Structure formats: structure tokens, C-alpha cells
Amino acid sequence: MLKDLFPKFSLCLSPMDDITTDEYRYICKKFGADVLFTEFVSSDALIRDVEKSYAKISFSSYQRPIGIQIFGSTEQSLVQAAQRVERLNPDFIDINWGCPMKKIAGKGAGSGILADIPKMIALTRAVVNAVKLPVSVKTRIAYDEHSTPVTDFCEALQDTGIQLLSIHGRTKQQMYRGDADWDLIGRVKNNPRMQIPVFGNGDITSAQKAMEYKNRYGVDGILIGRAAVGRPYIFAQCKQLLSGSEVTEPTLSQKADICIEHLTLMTQNQGERRALIIMKKFYSKYFSAVDNFKSYKMRLMEADSTPQAVDILQQIKHL
Ligand SMILES: Cc1cc2nc3c(=O)[nH]c(=O)nc-3n(C[C@H](O)[C@H](O)[C@H](O)COP(=O)(O)O)c2cc1C
């Protein structure tokens, strides 16, 4: 059973496109993330053998337990992609029924499926039946405020045979606006018929909030997304609270070292050009609390080699 691979309460790095790369997952794992997900990949792209998509879902065994996340909108595509993913032997296959982006949801994949719950159930069941690996689902609370909420279809999802349900507490229509509705997540978790682990997601901004929501809603795990970008140590901080210790914040010098390690790994694995592009999403996050970071940020954004960026990061240590 998938839940046997997880701790009793799991802290997870939420999947994020172009963020939760192999290298960043490794760093978050080092800081104590219990469960990892790859970035999502298109089922159609996997079937077409698109190399870039396979690169996004490669992982090392250090990252286990890990789920490879796929999205798609037809049974044929999802089933065939899941069977290909199965050969890569992750611990589980996660179906993305949560992405609200027009180019995905507009085609009936991601959270677009929430407009047609019977189809969501049928496609999920088809994937579960097509592979031996455990299958999980990550979804949102509903299509919009007027449509069927997850409290009404979570049992049907469980009955497909999935072994984990992760819920982002927003509707598709909300995109990232408003607040995540954790009451609904809590109601799914506290439905006595729900036997599979239920993980909550949305707006966890600190280790303290993660622990508060764990206790208030009783979820089996929490996925941390945006708050883990540039703060991989948030997982260590959650663990400090779980074990009754004080939360410690890394020093500026330590943060710079983590960022340097991240950049170095990215450069080694993905090449300097792509590393420098991806790292632009991270610099402000790594150094959000630093007062006079702005001029360094400009220089980092303009750096055209890894040694140059590393040199700037070394200087930040002395701010
Ligand atoms: C840049 C970005 C990329 C994302 N990519 C994915 C993805 O590939 N798969 C997925 O299930 N969710 C994706 N998400 C959604 C997050 O996993 C998460 O559900 C959402 O950000 C809410 O959690 P948070 O408030 O902790 O960030 C993405 C979010 C962001 C901001």
C-alpha cells in the first residue's frame, strides 16, 4: 500500500512546473521533505517520446517516495502515458486534475475535468486499472463555487482505487485568487468513509501554519508549494516543530550556500543556459528578507555565466 511508504504525517513538496526539478527536489529532500512529486508532464508528450518531458520526470532513488505527475484529457492518452511512466518505476503515479491554466484546463485536462465529474471518475479508474503501481490524484475543491464540491465526489474517487488524494483548497475558477478553503479539505478528511490518505494544500506560508493546519484539520499530509520556493528549509522547520524544538532560520550565508548548491546542480545537469534561466525564478525567494538585495538581484538576473552568478551569491553572504 502506498500509505506504508509515507510517515504518519507527510510533508510534501507540491509539484510546480519549472520549479520542482530533479535538483530542487533533491535539495528539499535533504531538508526533510517526506514525499516528492515531479513537475507535471503531458501524457501526449510522453507518448510522443518527447525527450524534454522524460527529462522532467527523471529522479534518483534518494528522492523516494516520489510520484510522477501526468496530465491529459483522454483515456487513451492517460492510460498509455501511465504505462510508460510505470516503466520508470516511481513509487506512484499522480494524475493532475488541478491545473487551472487555460491551455490545459481549457482542453479538459487538469481542473477542466471538474466540469465533468463522471468523466473524471472514469478516466481515473481507467488509469488505476491499467497499471500495477499505486495511483493518486491531485485536484481542487470544485470547478467553481456553484458546482459539485470535492466533499461530494471524494468517495467516488476513492472507489476508483486511488491510494492518495491531495486537495488544493481553491476552485478552478479562482486560479490562485482568494484563500484556500481548508474547511472543505477537513470535511473530506473527516468523512468516516474515506480510508485513503488525504493531503491538504494551499496557502501554507510557514512551518507554524503547517502545524496549525495539521492539528486543526487532521490531514494525513500537507503539500507546500510557493512557500517552499527558495525556502527548502521550511521542511526542516516543520520537523523542528513536530519534534517540539524551536524553529531556526538559516543565516544569510547558509541561504547563499543553498542557492549556490542549487545553481551548481542545475548547471551540471541541465547546462548553464537553462540553469541561469530557471534560477531567476528563485533569487528573490532565497533572499526575500534581505533589505538591500535589489542591486544584487539585478546583477544576478544579468549574469551570463554560472561562475559570475556564484561570485555575486558569495558577495551576498557579507551583506
Ligand atoms: C509556478 C507554479 C507551478 C505549478 N505547477 C504545478 C504542477 O506542475 N502540478 C500541480 O499539480 N500543481 C502545480 N502548481 C500548483 C501547486 O502545486 C499548488 O497546488 C498551489 O501553488 C497551491 O499551493 P501553495 O499555496 O502551497 O503554493 C503550480 C503552482 C505554481 C505557483
Side-chain angles (χ1 to χ4, degrees):
M1 291 297 282
L2 184 57
K3 68 176 166 196
D4 298 334
L5 301 180
F6 300 157
K8 211 165 173 330
F9 173 72
S10 300
L11 289 158
C12 321
L13 175 64
S14 208
M16 285 176 284
D17 190 29
D18 275 349
I19 302 272
T20 57
T21 62
D22 186 34
E23 302 77 15
Y24 199 58
R25 293 195 305 266
Y26 165 80
I27 288 177
C28 290
K29 183 80 187 182
K30 278 209 302 184
F31 280 101
D34 296 310
V35 180
L36 302 173
F37 296 80
T38 67
E39 309 164 63
F40 66 5
V41 280
S42 149
S43 298
D44 291 338
L46 291 178
I47 295 165
R48 280 188 279 111
D49 286 324
V50 175
E51 227 174 276
K52 219 173 101 187
S53 298
Y54 281 92
K56 278 177 176 254
I57 57 178
S58 77
F59 62 92
S60 64
S61 54
Y62 175 70
Q63 293 177 19
R64 292 184 183 280
I66 184 166
I68 290 182
Q69 194 188 62
I70 57 173
F71 69 88
S73 61
T74 66
E75 178 173 329
Q76 194 195 20
S77 150
L78 281 163
V79 161
Q80 284 186 19
Q83 287 168 337
R84 284 171 181 241
V85 164
E86 186 163 42
R87 292 183 215 144
L88 307 174
N89 198 26
D91 297 283
F92 60 105
I93 299 172
D94 191 58
I95 308 176
N96 178 311
W97 291 139
C99 178
M101 270 155 42
K102 204 169 170 191
K103 64 176 183 187
I104 289 169
K107 291 183 185 144
S111 63
I113 199 85
L114 289 165
D116 188 349
I117 303 295
K119 186 173 177 192
M120 177 195 206
I121 302 300
L123 294 186
T124 305
R125 180 175 291 117
V127 173
V128 170
N129 291 339
V131 292
K132 291 196 186 71
L133 278 180
V135 174
S136 61
V137 159
K138 177 169 180 280
T139 189
R140 290 186 170 228
I141 51 172
Y143 188 85
D144 62 25
E145 58 183 320
H146 306 294
S147 53
T148 316
V150 64
T151 39
D152 287 12
F153 62 81
C154 58
E155 291 181 26
L157 266 179
Q158 174 176 256
D159 292 344
T160 64
I162 60 165
Q163 296 192 33
L164 162 68
L165 176 59
S166 306
I167 307 168
H168 174 192
R170 286 189 175 80
T171 64
K172 178 222 173 251
Q173 289 307 74
Q174 272 182 289
M175 307 283 289
Y176 288 89
R177 291 185 294 269
D179 296 327
D181 182 345
W182 274 77
D183 283 328
L184 268 182
I185 298 172
R187 277 165 53 199
V188 173
K189 171 57 207 166
N190 294 306
N191 171 343
R193 258 195 44 80
M194 290 301 285
Q195 302 293 320
I196 57 172
V198 175
F199 289 178
N201 168 237
D203 299 346
I204 298 299
T205 46
S206 66
Q208 287 80 357
K209 190 167 177 183
M211 290 309 108
E212 192 190 319
Y213 277 34
K214 167 194 179 286
N215 295 333
R216 192 186 305 169
Y217 299 102
V219 286
D220 302 292
I222 285 182
L223 276 72
I224 305 179
R226 290 164 294 177
V229 183
R231 288 163 70 199
Y233 46 85
I234 194 171
F235 297 104
Q237 293 176 326
C238 290
K239 297 228 157 142
Q240 287 172 329
L241 286 177
L242 276 173
S243 66
S245 321
E246 293 265 303
V247 168
T248 55
E249 182 77 11
T251 62
L252 181 55
S253 176
Q254 287 168 329
K255 288 179 186 176
D257 279 334
I258 302 166
C259 188
I260 290 170
E261 182 185 12
H262 186 184
L263 168 62
T264 306
L265 286 171
M266 291 286 298
T267 305
Q268 279 164 5
N269 296 347
Q270 307 216 27
E272 190 172 57
R273 204 176 150 265
R274 184 161 158 77
L276 291 170
I277 291 171
I278 296 281
M279 290 304 292
K280 286 183 183 176
K281 297 172 192 259
F282 281 89
Y283 294 131
S284 304
K285 310 283 184 190
Y286 272 113
F287 304 108
S288 59
V290 180
D291 286 342
N292 36 358
F293 174 63
K294 213 168 165 191
S295 64
Y296 290 86
K297 183 184 168 186
M298 302 243 296
R299 288 169 56 206
L300 283 167
M301 292 305 218
E302 282 162 14
D304 53 19
S305 74
T306 297
Q308 194 186 346
V310 169
D311 187 49
I312 300 164
L313 290 166
Q314 291 289 3
Q315 293 171 33
I316 289 173
K317 287 185 179 180
H318 308 292
L319 276 176

